[in-house]
Each structure stands twice: as C-alpha cells, then as structure tokens.
Amino acid sequence: MIFLDYKDRRPIYEQVMERLQELMLMGVLGQDEKLPSVRGLATELSINPNTIQRAYMELERQGYIYSVKGKGSFVADVSRMKDAKWQELKTGMAELAEKAVRLGTGAEEFARLAEEAYGKAGETDD
C-alpha cells in the first residue's frame, strides 16, 4: 500500500501523505472509507506513530480526510481536489504545448512525446 524511500530527502510524513493522496485521487481509497489506525499503520511501516499522526493531521487540514472521535479517520470527498489537480495538469500541458510550438515541434511529435512520457510514468507507478 505505502512504500517509503529512505533515500528521499523529504520527511517520511510527507511521503506517507503523498502516497495516501495518490490512493485517494485514484479511487483506491474511496470516500468515507476508514483509514488504518495511526498505531496500525506505524507498525506496518515500522515508523514512529507520531509520524503517521502528523501525516493524518496535515491530510485533514488539507481536506483529504476527516476524523470521527472514537472511530478513526476516514477519506473525505476528494472530487474537488481531483478537479484542481486535473486543472493543474491541463495548465501544465498548455505550457508545454506553447514551448513546443516555440521550438517548431509539430503536433504529431508533441503527441508522440506526451504518449512516450505517459507510458514511462505508468511503468514506474508501482
């Protein structure tokens, strides 16, 4: 479910947050689904529970999850976040297309490059 890269310069809690966000945005963790307990996930990942608590607190602050006292943490409705990420992607693609045009790259070449990059991203997404 979550893999940590100890060579990554980012703090562990940020890695945990990012992976949980990805799982939520991809629909692997659905709306209102209960997340693992802080202690359970910390044990599974062999890290300090305070690290998981910090990740959960930040995810809640950002609106990805919500807590129910005595019950745990649950996945919130992430459709707005997904829409925002989609818009960010579209903006980034538009910027890349503008650069390609300025370099004299044809639409077919640009599409081929995008398809190639997408394929590579899919290969390393495990």
Side-chain angles (χ1 to χ4, degrees), residues 32-49:
D32 298 323
E33 187 172 332
K34 188 176 187 322
L35 293 174
S37 70
V38 168
R39 190 171 296 155
L41 187 54
T43 300
E44 182 182 323
L45 297 175
S46 300
I47 59 177
N48 190 310

Side-chain angles (χ1 to χ4, degrees), residues 34 96 125:
K34 188 176 187 322
L96 288 174
D125 202 34

Side-chain angles (χ1 to χ4, degrees), residues 1-63:
M1 183 175 180
I2 296 176
F3 301 98
L4 301 174
D5 180 2
Y6 293 101
K7 294 178 184 173
D8 192 328
R9 291 178 170 236
R10 294 175 302 149
I12 299 295
Y13 85 94
E14 285 182 10
Q15 293 183 49
V16 170
M17 280 178 49
E18 182 180 272
R19 187 61 181 146
L20 287 171
Q21 286 170 337
E22 288 172 1
L23 293 170
M24 289 179 231
L25 293 171
M26 290 171 49
V28 175
L29 293 173
Q31 183 175 344
D32 298 323
E33 187 172 332
K34 188 176 187 322
L35 293 174
S37 70
V38 168
R39 190 171 296 155
L41 187 54
T43 300
E44 182 182 323
L45 297 175
S46 300
I47 59 177
N48 190 310
N50 291 333
T51 302
I52 301 299
Q53 183 62 40
R54 185 169 182 190
Y56 278 16
M57 284 176 22
E58 185 62 22
L59 286 169
E60 187 167 0
R61 189 187 69 73
Q62 293 178 8

Side-chain angles (χ1 to χ4, degrees), residues 67-126:
S67 297
V68 177
K69 193 165 181 80
K71 300 283 185 190
S73 297
F74 299 84
V75 177
D77 178 5
V78 295
S79 59
R80 286 185 322 205
M81 279 73 96
K82 192 171 188 172
D83 290 344
K85 293 282 186 186
W86 181 247
Q87 190 58 44
E88 188 179 303
L89 174 67
K90 287 171 44 178
T91 300
M93 284 298 292
E95 290 171 1
L96 288 174
E98 287 176 21
K99 287 180 183 180
V101 168
R102 285 194 300 268
L103 289 172
T105 305
E108 295 82 18
E109 178 68 6
F110 180 73
R112 186 189 65 73
L113 289 171
E115 191 171 314
E116 186 178 299
Y118 188 87
K120 286 181 182 177
E123 291 171 5
T124 60
D125 202 34
D126 293 328

